[in-house]
Amino acid sequence: MTLRLFVDAPAPLATGQVLDLPPGPARHVQVRRLQPGDALTVFDGRGGEWAATVQQMGRSQVTVLVGTHDPVEREAPCAVTLAVGMPANDRMDWLVEKATELGVAEIRPLVTERSVLRLDGERAERKRQHWQAVAVAAAEQCGRTRVPMVHPVRALAGTEALPSAGAGGQGWVLSVAPGAKPASVLRSMSGPHWLLSGPEGGLTDGELARALAAGAQALSLGPRVLRAETAPLAALALLTAV
C-alpha cells in the first residue's frame, strides 16, 4: 500500500515542487525504509492529493518531488462538528481516531459537570496537540484529503463551547429523556450539523437545557445505554453515511 502523508505546509503544494518534508512525515518515510525513486502520496488538507517521489534521503531529512495532483474528495456528504464530554483514559484517543475515519469535520473536547477527565492550561494544550496528531494519522490511513480540526479544550458552561447559532447548522444533543427524536431522523438530514454528547456520567439537566437553548434538538439512540465513546460515533455514522 502506498504511503500517504499529510504535509502541513504554509502554502499550497504544487506539481513540480521539490519539498523537504517536515520532521513528522520524514520519520514515517524513514521508518518505512523508502528509497530514492519510491512513490508515495502527499496531501495538505486543502483538497485533493498529489503523487510524489522520494528524491533524497538523509539522516533526518527527506526530500520529495511533488507530482500530479488528483482532485479527489472523500469527505462526508455533510459537515459535522462533534462536541463531546471527553471520556477518560485512552478512550478519547479512540474516539478521535474513529470520528476522523467516519468523516467528522471538527471536534470540540469539553469539560462538563460530570467529567472524569478534567484538563486545563498546558496539560490541556498538550492533549489537544496529541489528539490533532491522532486525527492526522487517521486521515492518512483512511484516505481523507482533509484533516478535522481539534479545538482547544473548553468548559461546556463557558462561552464558545458550542457552535454559534446558525453557524454550525442543525444541532443535536444525545439524550435519554422522553420525547427525544429517534436517531432514524438523521438519515434524511442534509446540511451542516453539530452534535453534543456527554461524558461517562452523561449531561446534567442544566447542560441539556443549555444545549436546547442553543438550538439543539434532543436525540435518542434507542433503549440501550451506550458508552461515552460509542454514542457519538453511532450518531456520527448516521449523519456521514453516503
Side-chain angles (χ1 to χ4, degrees), residues 36-49:
D38 287 346
L40 66 157
T41 300
V42 294
F43 64 103
D44 62 5
R46 297 177 174 91
E49 59 190 21

Side-chain angles (χ1 to χ4, degrees), residues 84-85 110-115 118 155-156 197-199 202-203 207:
V84 58
L110 301 176
V111 177
T112 70
E113 293 184 38
R114 293 173 176 163
S115 290
R118 294 183 175 273
L156 178 54
S197 181
L203 299 172
E207 289 170 333

Side-chain angles (χ1 to χ4, degrees), residues 65-184:
L65 175 64
V66 181
T68 304
H69 179 250
D70 182 353
V72 62
E73 282 287 355
R74 303 186 182 99
E75 294 305 294
C78 64
V80 181
T81 296
L82 178 60
V84 58
M86 301 172 292
N89 302 319
D90 61 352
R91 287 179 289 178
M92 184 64 181
D93 289 23
W94 188 86
L95 194 160
V96 170
E97 179 183 79
K98 301 311 174 188
T100 300
E101 292 177 17
L102 288 170
V104 74
E106 300 178 29
I107 299 173
R108 296 182 178 231
L110 301 176
V111 177
T112 70
E113 293 184 38
R114 293 173 176 163
S115 290
V116 175
L117 180 60
R118 294 183 175 273
L119 301 171
D120 58 17
E122 293 183 6
R123 183 167 174 245
E125 176 55 21
R126 288 196 300 270
K127 276 292 189 180
R128 186 204 66 79
Q129 292 176 7
H130 169 72
W131 292 326
Q132 188 67 71
V134 170
V136 166
E140 290 174 338
Q141 181 276 326
C142 74
R144 288 186 66 174
T145 59
R146 301 181 188 272
V147 178
M149 175 186 292
V150 180
H151 288 263
V153 176
R154 300 187 186 278
L156 178 54
T159 59
E160 301 181 9
L162 301 176
S164 58
Q170 176 59 55
W172 304 94
V173 56
L174 299 184
S175 172
V176 295
K181 292 182 179 295
S184 58

